[in-house]
Amino acid sequence: MLNTISSLYKKKIRPYSKLIQAICIPLLALVIPISIGNKQSFCGYVMIIMSSFWLLETIPMAATSLIPILLFPIFGIMTSRDVASVYIQDILMSIFHSYCSNTVNKIKWT
């Protein structure tokens, strides 16, 4: 019985585990902003999504770090101009550039 469940998981569920995480985590965390309904709860919702995606590597970490750029203006936490000014700084852009070039080189040479 246990062997059957294990093989079922490996064949049917495991290939879709990242998709299941990407759908279930935001839906389960949605309880917080719906029940409280202020800016702090929406910010907590975004942070829960980000930390879960980061720890479980549901989507690449570079994409996970850009989630607030999309969700903060949608939820009215910050304006898009304020969010972009936090992200677009000289040191952050140089770190982002070095990360991207490192990733491209890794993909190119493997």
Side-chain angles (χ1 to χ4, degrees):
M1 177 73 175
L2 186 60
N3 193 15
T4 307
I5 294 172
S6 175
S7 66
L8 176 70
Y9 171 75
K10 287 179 183 176
K11 291 179 183 176
K12 302 285 183 182
I13 299 172
R14 189 183 226 172
Y16 301 106
S17 64
K18 300 293 181 185
L19 178 64
I20 293 168
Q21 291 170 3
I23 294 170
C24 289
I25 290 170
L27 288 178
L28 291 174
L30 197 59
V31 172
I32 295 169
I34 288 175
S35 62
I36 300 172
N38 56 14
K39 287 185 179 182
Q40 291 84 0
S41 64
F42 283 111
C43 186
Y45 173 71
V46 173
M47 294 303 117
I48 288 171
I49 291 173
M50 280 187 61
S51 61
S52 300
F53 282 4
W54 202 302
L55 290 172
L56 298 172
E57 295 182 7
T58 304
I59 58 177
M61 287 188 186
T64 302
S65 67
L66 298 175
I67 288 175
I69 291 177
L70 175 69
L71 293 182
F72 278 5
I74 290 173
F75 292 138
I77 299 167
M78 294 173 73
T79 64
S80 57
R81 181 175 300 227
D82 293 339
V83 176
S85 69
V86 171
Y87 273 85
I88 308 299
Q89 294 177 359
D90 292 336
I91 189 70
L92 291 176
M93 283 293 98
S94 64
I95 291 170
F96 182 69
H97 177 266
S98 63
Y99 175 76
C100 289
S101 61
N102 186 20
T103 304
V104 168
N105 286 333
K106 187 185 338 182
I107 291 170
K108 183 178 178 182
W109 297 108
T110 56

